[in-house]
Amino acid sequence: MSTPVALPPLIAILRGIRPDEILEVAKALVDAGIRGIEVPLNSPEPLVSIRRLTERYGNECLCGAGTVLKAAQVDAVAEAGGKLIVTPNIDRAVIARSVELGLQAVPGFATATEAFAAIDAGATALKLFPASTYGVQHVKALRAVLPGTKVFAVGGVGAHNLAEWAEAGIDGIGFGTDIYAPGRSAAEVGARATAIVSAWNQARGSVHA
């Protein structure tokens, strides 16, 4: 088993992206300072996009798949070069296979019970999803029992409310439509990503000041 590539604090979720636009959008993200890119498996030809993404930017950022629901999909993502496996739920088989292949396993959770089940299965980080439903107070309460585990907030988090999540002790954030939506130009994606990176750096600076 190889050591997983480091998990960056900001991950762009490119749900619906096509293989013919992945590289242009990825360049905009990397130029803006984003070092994590997720292609959900319910996107058009996701494995093609992941392969192109990892071949071009695999040395500059952590690339992989989201909405991974089965262990067999983990193998397919790994074969395409992906190093990141993100799920909307807790599936022990998916987590275990990801860990076995040396990939970052970031399953979705909501409760303390789910969090510890994921950790027990080998998860390298946790994804509070959907974050907007549970809120920052939920994170603050969970942090008391998850001091050594990285927790990401995904769903309803953007530049407008990023500061309150950083203050709550979140380790990272996954951004979907706040960064990318089908039909959005690479230039706009880059501008949105730049604003988010700036907001994150400012928020983290305020927390540690």
Side-chain angles (χ1 to χ4, degrees), residues 16-26 39 44-50 52-53 56 180 182-184 186:
I17 196 160
R18 305 185 313 273
D20 64 344
E21 61 180 331
I22 186 68
L23 294 182
E24 186 179 12
V25 169
V39 178
E45 298 183 274
L47 296 175
V48 176
S49 290
I50 292 170
R52 292 180 182 180
L53 183 60
R56 179 70 64 86
Y180 174 83
R184 189 171 289 163

Short mmCIF file of all heavy atoms in Angstrom, two decimals, residues 16-26 39 44-50 52-53 56 180 182-184 186:
data_model
loop_
_atom_site.label_atom_id
_atom_site.label_comp_id
_atom_site.label_asym_id
_atom_site.label_seq_id
_atom_site.Cartn_x
_atom_site.Cartn_y
_atom_site.Cartn_z
N GLY A 16 -20.69 17.36 -13.72
CA GLY A 16 -21.24 17.64 -15.04
C GLY A 16 -20.21 18.06 -16.08
O GLY A 16 -20.56 18.31 -17.23
N ILE A 17 -18.94 18.11 -15.69
CA ILE A 17 -17.92 18.54 -16.65
C ILE A 17 -17.71 17.48 -17.72
O ILE A 17 -17.84 16.28 -17.48
CB ILE A 17 -16.59 18.86 -15.92
CG1 ILE A 17 -15.67 19.67 -16.84
CG2 ILE A 17 -15.90 17.58 -15.44
CD1 ILE A 17 -14.59 20.43 -16.13
N ARG A 18 -17.37 17.93 -18.92
CA ARG A 18 -17.12 17.03 -20.05
C ARG A 18 -15.62 16.86 -20.28
O ARG A 18 -14.84 17.77 -19.97
CB ARG A 18 -17.76 17.58 -21.33
CG ARG A 18 -19.25 17.87 -21.24
CD ARG A 18 -19.79 18.29 -22.61
NE ARG A 18 -18.94 19.29 -23.26
CZ ARG A 18 -19.05 20.60 -23.08
NH1 ARG A 18 -19.96 21.09 -22.26
NH2 ARG A 18 -18.25 21.44 -23.72
N PRO A 19 -15.22 15.74 -20.85
CA PRO A 19 -13.80 15.51 -21.12
C PRO A 19 -13.17 16.59 -22.00
O PRO A 19 -11.99 16.92 -21.82
CB PRO A 19 -13.78 14.15 -21.83
CG PRO A 19 -14.97 13.45 -21.28
CD PRO A 19 -16.01 14.51 -21.14
N ASP A 20 -13.95 17.18 -22.92
CA ASP A 20 -13.36 18.16 -23.83
C ASP A 20 -13.11 19.52 -23.17
O ASP A 20 -12.48 20.38 -23.77
CB ASP A 20 -14.24 18.34 -25.08
CG ASP A 20 -15.62 18.91 -24.77
OD1 ASP A 20 -16.03 18.91 -23.59
OD2 ASP A 20 -16.29 19.36 -25.72
N GLU A 21 -13.60 19.71 -21.95
CA GLU A 21 -13.36 20.99 -21.27
C GLU A 21 -12.54 20.84 -19.99
O GLU A 21 -12.16 21.83 -19.37
CB GLU A 21 -14.70 21.67 -20.93
CG GLU A 21 -15.58 20.86 -20.01
CD GLU A 21 -16.90 21.55 -19.69
OE1 GLU A 21 -16.96 22.79 -19.69
OE2 GLU A 21 -17.87 20.82 -19.43
N ILE A 22 -12.24 19.61 -19.60
CA ILE A 22 -11.59 19.37 -18.30
C ILE A 22 -10.24 20.07 -18.18
O ILE A 22 -9.93 20.67 -17.14
CB ILE A 22 -11.45 17.85 -18.02
CG1 ILE A 22 -10.90 17.63 -16.61
CG2 ILE A 22 -10.56 17.16 -19.04
CD1 ILE A 22 -11.82 18.01 -15.50
N LEU A 23 -9.42 20.04 -19.22
CA LEU A 23 -8.07 20.59 -19.09
C LEU A 23 -8.08 22.12 -19.00
O LEU A 23 -7.31 22.71 -18.24
CB LEU A 23 -7.19 20.13 -20.26
CG LEU A 23 -6.89 18.62 -20.28
CD1 LEU A 23 -5.97 18.28 -21.44
CD2 LEU A 23 -6.28 18.17 -18.96
N GLU A 24 -8.95 22.76 -19.76
CA GLU A 24 -9.02 24.22 -19.71
C GLU A 24 -9.52 24.68 -18.33
O GLU A 24 -8.98 25.64 -17.75
CB GLU A 24 -9.94 24.74 -20.81
CG GLU A 24 -9.95 26.26 -20.92
CD GLU A 24 -10.85 26.76 -22.04
OE1 GLU A 24 -11.63 25.96 -22.59
OE2 GLU A 24 -10.77 27.95 -22.36
N VAL A 25 -10.53 24.01 -17.83
CA VAL A 25 -11.06 24.36 -16.51
C VAL A 25 -10.03 24.05 -15.42
O VAL A 25 -9.83 24.84 -14.49
CB VAL A 25 -12.38 23.60 -16.25
CG1 VAL A 25 -12.80 23.74 -14.78
CG2 VAL A 25 -13.47 24.13 -17.16
N ALA A 26 -9.36 22.92 -15.54
CA ALA A 26 -8.36 22.55 -14.54
C ALA A 26 -7.22 23.56 -14.51
O ALA A 26 -6.73 23.91 -13.43
CB ALA A 26 -7.81 21.15 -14.84
N VAL A 39 -13.95 14.95 -9.87
CA VAL A 39 -14.90 14.75 -10.96
C VAL A 39 -15.92 13.71 -10.50
O VAL A 39 -15.60 12.53 -10.40
CB VAL A 39 -14.20 14.26 -12.24
CG1 VAL A 39 -15.24 14.01 -13.34
CG2 VAL A 39 -13.15 15.26 -12.72
N PRO A 44 -20.49 13.32 -17.41
CA PRO A 44 -20.30 12.64 -18.70
C PRO A 44 -18.88 12.05 -18.82
O PRO A 44 -17.91 12.77 -18.64
CB PRO A 44 -20.52 13.77 -19.73
CG PRO A 44 -21.32 14.80 -19.01
CD PRO A 44 -20.85 14.75 -17.59
N GLU A 45 -18.79 10.77 -19.10
CA GLU A 45 -17.50 10.09 -19.29
C GLU A 45 -16.48 10.51 -18.21
O GLU A 45 -15.38 10.97 -18.53
CB GLU A 45 -16.94 10.39 -20.67
CG GLU A 45 -17.82 9.92 -21.82
CD GLU A 45 -17.16 10.19 -23.16
OE1 GLU A 45 -17.33 11.31 -23.68
OE2 GLU A 45 -16.47 9.28 -23.66
N PRO A 46 -16.79 10.32 -16.95
CA PRO A 46 -15.93 10.81 -15.88
C PRO A 46 -14.52 10.22 -15.86
O PRO A 46 -13.56 10.92 -15.54
CB PRO A 46 -16.70 10.43 -14.61
CG PRO A 46 -17.51 9.23 -15.02
CD PRO A 46 -17.93 9.55 -16.43
N LEU A 47 -14.40 8.96 -16.20
CA LEU A 47 -13.08 8.32 -16.16
C LEU A 47 -12.15 8.89 -17.24
O LEU A 47 -10.93 8.97 -17.04
CB LEU A 47 -13.20 6.81 -16.29
CG LEU A 47 -13.96 6.13 -15.14
CD1 LEU A 47 -14.13 4.64 -15.43
CD2 LEU A 47 -13.23 6.34 -13.81
N VAL A 48 -12.73 9.29 -18.36
CA VAL A 48 -11.93 9.94 -19.40
C VAL A 48 -11.41 11.27 -18.89
O VAL A 48 -10.23 11.61 -19.04
CB VAL A 48 -12.77 10.15 -20.69
CG1 VAL A 48 -11.94 10.91 -21.73
CG2 VAL A 48 -13.23 8.81 -21.25
N SER A 49 -12.28 12.03 -18.25
CA SER A 49 -11.88 13.32 -17.68
C SER A 49 -10.81 13.14 -16.61
O SER A 49 -9.82 13.88 -16.56
CB SER A 49 -13.09 14.04 -17.07
OG SER A 49 -13.97 14.49 -18.07
N ILE A 50 -10.99 12.14 -15.74
CA ILE A 50 -10.02 11.90 -14.67
C ILE A 50 -8.66 11.51 -15.23
O ILE A 50 -7.63 11.97 -14.76
CB ILE A 50 -10.56 10.83 -13.69
CG1 ILE A 50 -11.76 11.38 -12.93
CG2 ILE A 50 -9.46 10.37 -12.73
CD1 ILE A 50 -12.52 10.34 -12.13
N ARG A 52 -7.41 12.31 -18.22
CA ARG A 52 -6.79 13.50 -18.81
C ARG A 52 -6.30 14.45 -17.73
O ARG A 52 -5.22 15.04 -17.83
CB ARG A 52 -7.81 14.22 -19.71
CG ARG A 52 -8.16 13.43 -20.96
CD ARG A 52 -9.18 14.16 -21.83
NE ARG A 52 -9.54 13.35 -23.00
CZ ARG A 52 -10.40 13.72 -23.92
NH1 ARG A 52 -10.99 14.92 -23.84
NH2 ARG A 52 -10.68 12.93 -24.94
N LEU A 53 -7.08 14.57 -16.67
CA LEU A 53 -6.75 15.47 -15.57
C LEU A 53 -5.48 15.02 -14.86
O LEU A 53 -4.57 15.82 -14.62
CB LEU A 53 -7.92 15.48 -14.58
CG LEU A 53 -7.84 16.39 -13.37
CD1 LEU A 53 -7.70 17.83 -13.77
CD2 LEU A 53 -9.09 16.18 -12.51
N ARG A 56 -2.18 15.40 -16.94
CA ARG A 56 -1.69 16.76 -17.10
C ARG A 56 -1.35 17.43 -15.76
O ARG A 56 -0.35 18.14 -15.65
CB ARG A 56 -2.72 17.60 -17.84
CG ARG A 56 -2.33 19.07 -18.05
CD ARG A 56 -1.20 19.24 -19.06
NE ARG A 56 -1.60 18.80 -20.37
CZ ARG A 56 -2.25 19.57 -21.26
NH1 ARG A 56 -2.57 20.81 -20.94
NH2 ARG A 56 -2.56 19.09 -22.44
N TYR A 180 -17.95 25.74 -10.15
CA TYR A 180 -18.22 25.23 -11.50
C TYR A 180 -19.68 24.81 -11.67
O TYR A 180 -20.29 24.23 -10.76
CB TYR A 180 -17.33 24.02 -11.82
CG TYR A 180 -17.68 23.38 -13.14
CD1 TYR A 180 -17.18 23.88 -14.34
CD2 TYR A 180 -18.56 22.30 -13.19
CE1 TYR A 180 -17.54 23.32 -15.56
CE2 TYR A 180 -18.93 21.72 -14.40
CZ TYR A 180 -18.42 22.25 -15.58
OH TYR A 180 -18.79 21.69 -16.78
N PRO A 182 -22.10 23.33 -15.29
CA PRO A 182 -22.04 23.08 -16.73
C PRO A 182 -22.36 24.33 -17.54
O PRO A 182 -23.33 25.04 -17.26
CB PRO A 182 -23.12 22.00 -16.93
CG PRO A 182 -23.13 21.26 -15.63
CD PRO A 182 -22.93 22.33 -14.59
N GLY A 183 -21.51 24.61 -18.53
CA GLY A 183 -21.69 25.78 -19.37
C GLY A 183 -20.92 27.00 -18.92
O GLY A 183 -20.79 27.97 -19.67
N ARG A 184 -20.38 26.95 -17.72
CA ARG A 184 -19.62 28.09 -17.20
C ARG A 184 -18.23 28.09 -17.84
O ARG A 184 -17.57 27.05 -17.94
CB ARG A 184 -19.51 28.00 -15.69
CG ARG A 184 -18.94 29.23 -15.01
CD ARG A 184 -19.08 29.11 -13.49
NE ARG A 184 -20.49 29.24 -13.09
CZ ARG A 184 -20.97 28.87 -11.90
NH1 ARG A 184 -20.16 28.29 -11.02
NH2 ARG A 184 -22.24 29.04 -11.60
N ALA A 186 -14.19 28.70 -18.53
CA ALA A 186 -12.99 28.50 -17.70
C ALA A 186 -12.57 29.81 -17.05
O ALA A 186 -12.10 29.82 -15.90
CB ALA A 186 -11.86 27.94 -18.56
#
